[in-house]
Amino acid sequence: MKILVTGGLGYIGSHTTVELIKNNFEVVIVDNLSNSEFFILENIKQITGVSPKFYNLDLLDFKKFDQIVKENKIHGIIHFAAFKSVSESVLHPVKYYENNIISLLNVLRAMNLNGISNLVFSSSCTVYGQPDTLPVSEDSPFKMAESPYAYSKQVSENIIKDVSSSSDKLNAISLRYFNPVGAHSSGLIGELPLGVPDNLVPYITQTAAGIREELSVFGNDYTTKDGTAIRDYIHIEDLARAHVKAISKILSCNSQLYDYINVGTGIGHSVLEVINSFEKVNNLKLNYSFKERRNGDIKEIYSDVKKSEEVLGWKAVFSLNEMMKSAWVWQKNIKNFRNIS
Ligand code: UFG
């Protein structure tokens, strides 16, 4: 089966590509390298022994995208390509809506024109806002979106739902990720943040590497076990496996299918627990200090994992320590790859 992966050289896309190839799928990647680098393709080849077909293309270019879909006789699409910085989306909402919504519409149009009905969409637990009950299950309603990024994910999920219940044949699963961290066990692919990282784990690894002077811990006055905010961190390889389960489920399903599923571990860790784990497994001391809460942050979120186990037969297996170990191996490797690319 041939799967087109949009954003296939990005953080989650590249790990999913590796996992798809391992499971005997043929992969075609469309990526405009806006938040990834070309050496990732070489490294995917090193890990898997296979070089996926690659197109350097912006999904806003519908004509060319449609042509690629036509030429390649695709069976399904996993759509990752999107902007994902919460803070940047607040500064540049038009850019976010244009990129994230129009890209999705172009994917859906091309699918319809070429008779493709199988889609996995990259969503986020950000659609829940700060939920009323924890762990948050898929029955929880969407709260007011906290950012244009979050709103773009809510709207995208609704668009997919509308299309799948229309006469256009569409079978789709939206995966709502919690906080993906860590890197591939080969040390050959991982997260490549552009500029100063927004997210906790790349900020930690860059601080340990001396690229940043000090990590700011945003808020130690939350009503949590140690005062810092709580998230459900999930190893990127576990997350990649969930995509293979989701696309396989859709491909083997004979009736109409539309679903949305959380992808998390079910365990909430505080920022301090993440730091302590990183220091312990890598035998390092991290320079950090407490600062004001960050605007738009919620206090706590972690996933109810029942649905992912029942519907996908998937559950996370990696621990926080394993996430922190792989993140550090990757951080130390990045400079070697950047030099040769
Ligand atoms: N944090 C720090 N210092 C930093 C960076 C983050 O203390 O330098 C804290 C944050 O305040 C938060 C926690 O670490 O409490 C996690 O922050 P991240 O930025 O890593 O992740 P978020 O939970 O804010 O955001 C992530 C994804 C979004 C997604 C959101 C859904 O990055 O794409 O989860 O909840 F929308």
Side-chain angles (χ1 to χ4, degrees):
M1 291 272 186
K2 208 187 267 190
I3 305 300
L4 189 149
V5 180
T6 74
L9 295 188
Y11 179 38
I12 310 175
S14 58
H15 289 79
T16 300
T17 295
V18 166
E19 206 54 36
L20 284 166
I21 295 171
K22 255 174 63 186
N23 284 274
N24 300 317
F25 286 96
E26 193 179 333
V27 178
V28 174
I29 293 174
V30 175
D31 194 306
N32 67 355
L33 297 170
S34 65
N35 195 14
S36 56
E37 292 181 38
F38 192 70
F39 77 79
I40 295 289
L41 187 64
E42 269 306 308
N43 290 9
I44 289 174
K45 190 170 154 194
Q46 262 199 62
I47 298 168
T48 61
V50 174
S51 190
K53 204 169 190 183
F54 168 66
Y55 295 90
N56 183 346
L57 183 81
D58 192 318
L59 288 180
L60 297 185
D61 187 341
F62 175 72
K63 255 180 126 171
K64 288 208 181 112
F65 180 65
D66 183 48
Q67 194 56 38
I68 291 168
V69 173
K70 211 175 261 47
E71 270 168 24
N72 283 282
K73 307 211 177 332
I74 303 293
H75 296 99
I77 296 186
I78 305 183
H79 178 44
F80 292 106
F83 292 150
K84 61 165 190 174
S85 159
V86 173
S87 56
E88 198 193 22
S89 79
V90 174
L91 292 173
H92 305 292
V94 173
K95 177 177 159 184
Y96 268 66
Y97 291 131
E98 183 185 29
N99 188 62
N100 292 5
I101 306 294
I102 297 184
S103 294
L104 171 66
L105 293 175
N106 284 348
V107 167
L108 292 169
R109 266 174 79 197
M111 289 178 74
N112 185 248
L113 284 174
N114 294 286
I116 301 164
S117 50
N118 306 306
L119 175 71
V120 174
F121 176 65
S122 167
S123 189
S124 165
C125 68
T126 195
V127 296
Y128 297 118
Q130 173 66 70
D132 294 328
T133 50
L134 289 171
V136 61
S137 86
E138 290 81 353
D139 301 330
S140 309
F142 287 0
K143 289 279 191 66
M144 241 316 254
E146 312 254 352
S147 66
Y149 165 74
Y151 191 55
S152 80
K153 291 296 176 191
Q154 292 182 343
V155 171
S156 295
E157 281 202 26
N158 285 334
I159 291 172
I160 292 168
K161 183 165 166 242
D162 287 347
V163 177
S164 72
S165 57
S166 75
S167 58
D168 291 356
K169 203 167 163 284
L170 180 70
N171 297 321
I173 296 180
S174 291
L175 294 179
R176 296 176 178 165
Y177 320 143
F178 284 68
N179 288 53
V181 298
H184 194 263
S185 56
S186 61
L188 290 169
I189 56 173
E191 190 169 7
L192 282 173
L194 275 183
V196 183
D198 262 349
N199 297 116
L200 178 63
V201 175
Y203 211 106
I204 288 178
T205 58
Q206 290 197 4
T207 305
I211 301 167
R212 312 281 154 212
E213 218 166 274
E214 182 188 67
L215 169 77
S216 302
V217 174
F218 299 131
N220 62 344
D221 56 352
Y222 288 105
T223 50
T224 59
K225 46 191 158 190
D226 58 24
T228 63
I230 290 183
R231 298 288 183 276
D232 185 338
Y233 297 91
I234 173 165
H235 194 293
I236 190 71
E237 286 195 62
D238 275 333
L239 180 55
R241 272 194 308 111
H243 289 82
V244 176
K245 291 279 189 188
I247 195 74
S248 302
K249 168 142 191 112
I250 297 174
L251 289 168
S252 64
C253 181
N254 296 322
S255 50
Q256 202 276 336
L257 171 75
Y258 170 71
D259 217 337
Y260 40 90
I261 303 171
N262 287 350
V263 189
T265 65
I267 303 166
H269 287 292
S270 71
V271 175
L272 277 179
E273 283 174 338
V274 174
I275 294 172
N276 291 339
S277 163
F278 182 83
E279 291 187 326
K280 190 181 88 192
V281 295
N282 298 309
N283 202 18
L284 285 164
K285 269 277 158 235
L286 202 67
N287 190 22
Y288 70 88
S289 67
F290 295 111
K291 300 276 161 56
E292 293 291 293
R293 293 181 184 189
R294 184 171 70 176
N295 262 346
D297 268 352
I298 58 171
K299 175 182 93 168
E300 181 171 24
I301 190 163
Y302 52 93
S303 177
D304 186 318
V305 295
K306 275 192 227 78
K307 190 168 178 183
S308 56
E309 288 187 32
E310 276 167 25
V311 178
L312 298 179
W314 169 93
K315 81 196 236 200
V317 296
F318 287 98
S319 66
L320 181 64
N321 285 344
E322 289 166 309
M323 299 177 212
M324 293 305 114
K325 214 174 175 65
S326 64
W328 181 230
V329 171
W330 168 242
Q331 178 65 58
K332 288 185 289 183
N333 284 349
I334 294 175
K335 57 181 183 309
N336 306 330
F337 301 130
R338 280 193 161 143
N339 286 343
I340 56 163
S341 66

